[in-house]
Amino acid sequence: MRIYLIRHSESIDDIEDCYGGIADFDLTENGRSKVKECRERIGNYGIERIYTSPYKRAYQTAEILNENMKVNIKVVEDIRELNSYGVLSGVNRKLAKDIFSYIFEKEEYKNTGYYFGKTFLGGEDVKEFDNRVKKALNFIIEDAKELDTIAIVTHGGVHRSIFKNILNIDRKIEGIEDVATTILDYNNGEFHIIEMKGIKLEEKRK
């Protein structure tokens, strides 16, 4: 099976400098344009079904990709983004520093995020997140077992979880662009990376 693992495009929280995560923002017009450019690149690759996170930025990305493909879009709850920011979700970053200053000053919240293994106040347990992502990917593989080519539209945190725990890549994702695409081959329980576009991994340790 060929899998196109795609990050959603630019959403309103990006340009308004808000914490995203569980906050559910629409794509920007620029974000929509980026998806259309991606659609032209992958439009002839024979994708037979699109699986997507329920969040607007992912689902809208899937819808635009599907304008030419005309295939079934299937929402999978557990490939939604990590709730990394908790009470900060949807809040402008500068404003958040003002209204939650007493929390930011606590030692336990000075370093949070996926690779730190902990989230901000009210956030999701990272291990539970990894478990639901793995479970969701197994569901998708089983659900699509009669197909040759699928797309999965999801989020940066889900990419990080898949790269670390399923692809067993020991390098962190340092940057991930809008509509970043990783092409995978899956066969008999094994995944192989064919191509990565828009993903920057940390330098290899010497």
Side-chain angles (χ1 to χ4, degrees):
M1 180 190 297
R2 178 64 55 91
I3 301 170
Y4 290 84
L5 182 63
I6 303 170
R7 180 183 182 259
H8 65 80
S9 195
E10 179 189 78
S11 51
I12 291 172
D13 54 307
D14 296 319
I15 63 171
E16 293 188 354
D17 199 27
C18 298
Y19 288 100
I22 197 173
D24 201 5
F25 289 91
D26 292 299
L27 293 181
T28 64
E29 286 305 313
N30 182 51
R32 291 176 177 275
S33 295
K34 290 181 179 181
V35 184
K36 290 176 183 177
E37 291 173 9
C38 176
R39 181 181 67 197
E40 297 307 312
R41 293 199 305 271
I42 69 173
N44 296 322
Y45 288 179
I47 291 170
E48 299 166 88
R49 184 177 299 155
I50 301 173
Y51 294 87
T52 181
S53 156
Y55 291 167
K56 293 175 185 175
R57 56 196 184 273
Y59 191 83
Q60 290 169 6
T61 297
E63 283 187 312
I64 296 169
L65 289 174
N66 196 39
E67 285 176 2
N68 290 346
M69 299 177 197
K70 311 291 187 189
V71 299
N72 182 45
I73 296 177
K74 196 161 191 174
V75 174
V76 179
E77 284 283 334
D78 283 345
I79 57 170
R80 66 190 184 277
E81 181 60 294
L82 169 67
N83 180 8
S84 184
Y85 304 116
V87 297
L88 306 177
S89 302
V91 182
N92 172 270
R93 289 173 186 269
K94 184 178 183 302
L95 177 61
K97 287 287 177 68
D98 292 335
I99 63 179
F100 293 107
S101 59
Y102 67 101
I103 301 176
F104 278 101
E105 289 170 4
K106 292 186 175 183
E107 194 64 34
E108 63 187 299
Y109 296 124
K110 287 186 176 178
N111 293 297
T112 61
Y114 180 75
Y115 290 120
F116 288 106
K118 61 180 181 179
T119 58
F120 204 77
L121 178 66
E124 183 175 5
D125 183 89
V126 173
K127 289 183 180 179
E128 291 180 4
F129 168 71
D130 283 334
N131 286 337
R132 72 164 164 88
V133 170
K134 185 176 287 189
K135 179 181 175 183
L137 190 59
N138 287 338
F139 164 77
I140 290 171
I141 294 299
E142 176 64 23
D143 189 71
K145 63 184 178 182
E146 304 300 327
L147 304 178
D148 293 322
T149 309
I150 63 172
I152 301 173
V153 182
T154 184
H155 306 266
V158 175
H159 278 74
R160 289 177 172 87
S161 183
I162 289 173
F163 271 56
K164 178 184 176 185
N165 301 299
I166 296 171
L167 301 180
N168 297 314
I169 294 175
D170 62 358
R171 296 158 63 194
K172 297 176 182 177
I173 295 178
E174 289 189 336
I176 181 165
E177 298 175 3
D178 298 325
V179 209
T181 303
T182 301
I183 304 174
L184 305 171
D185 267 351
Y186 172 81
N187 187 34
N188 292 327
E190 294 187 358
F191 292 89
H192 298 282
I193 296 177
I194 306 303
E195 184 177 25
M196 288 192 308
K197 289 184 179 180
I199 293 180
K200 180 182 178 183
L201 299 178
E202 69 175 350
E203 297 294 326
K204 289 184 178 179
R205 301 183 183 92
K206 294 182 181 179

